[in-house]
Amino acid sequence: MSIVKLGSFSQTAQLLGYTQSTVTTHIQLLEKEFNTVFFERFGHQLMLTTDGERLYEYAEQITKLSEAAKNELDHFDIPKGSLILGIPESVCMYYLTDVLKEYVSLYPDVELKLRLGIGSDFRNLLRKNVMDVAFFLEKKVKDRDFISEFLWAEPIVMVAAPNHPLTKLKRVKVQDLTGQILVFTDSISHYQTVLEEYLEKSSITPRTILEIGQIYTIKQFVKSQLGITILPLAAVKTEIEAGELVALSWQGIDLDTNTYIVHHKDKWLSLPIRAFIKLVRERLVE
């Protein structure tokens, strides 16, 4: 079912934690068993055949019956099954590490799968029911088909190396970013979008924008004076306290955001999901 919703063998394999060849083999075995073909390609587009559509209808019914059976038989026992989470890197590294460790310890029968990314990555997966719960770093979640719960405010700071010229300014204004090298994550976060739109509106052009895949690498670049960056305070707090990075006195547009835990409004909250949300509330929400 994930292949149909995502329209891609490779994305399905990535989501489920399999190799693409494993997913392909499963489909081939299924087609051999039923003596038919379930998928066909038109260019880069993967589509169901007529037999594939018929089998998909049965698969949806089977899944719904399976979930209903689990719901009836749970009786609030120990959570079992799977839990697929979408988490921004900073939230995962600096807030959820201990929570995830505790969850795995408490509920060893739950198959936990994580996908790192941002809210725009997770929206489609939540809507296609191939992801159970996601964390959003956004000012406000306005999607009407999602149920979102505010968890905590997330300060965003602009940081530079201690000997960077901008650290000598009492106030850093948008004009001061002219000709600067900005180091951002390669997945466009909400606060990054806010800053980029503000720069464009103010007719300010940075020297260049470097897009880096991981927060650790971004911090190393900034420490080496290869540019400045904006990140959640939680991601740079240790380096600021150690004097390895300096929080600039940013006087421009408000970059602060919030952390939400989100699921689709039609999602059946299984026992593993409910147990995870409960643990997050107990450990991370004041």
Side-chain angles (χ1 to χ4, degrees), residues 149-152 279-286:
E149 178 181 344
F150 171 84
L151 296 178
W152 60 80
L279 190 62
V280 168
R281 289 171 180 157
E282 291 175 348
R283 299 293 180 265
L284 297 178
V285 181
E286 294 182 358

Side-chain angles (χ1 to χ4, degrees), residues 139-155:
K139 202 73 171 179
K140 190 173 182 60
V141 180
K142 299 179 180 179
D143 309 69
R144 294 185 177 182
D145 55 342
F146 291 156
I147 294 176
S148 61
E149 178 181 344
F150 171 84
L151 296 178
W152 60 80
E154 191 71 62

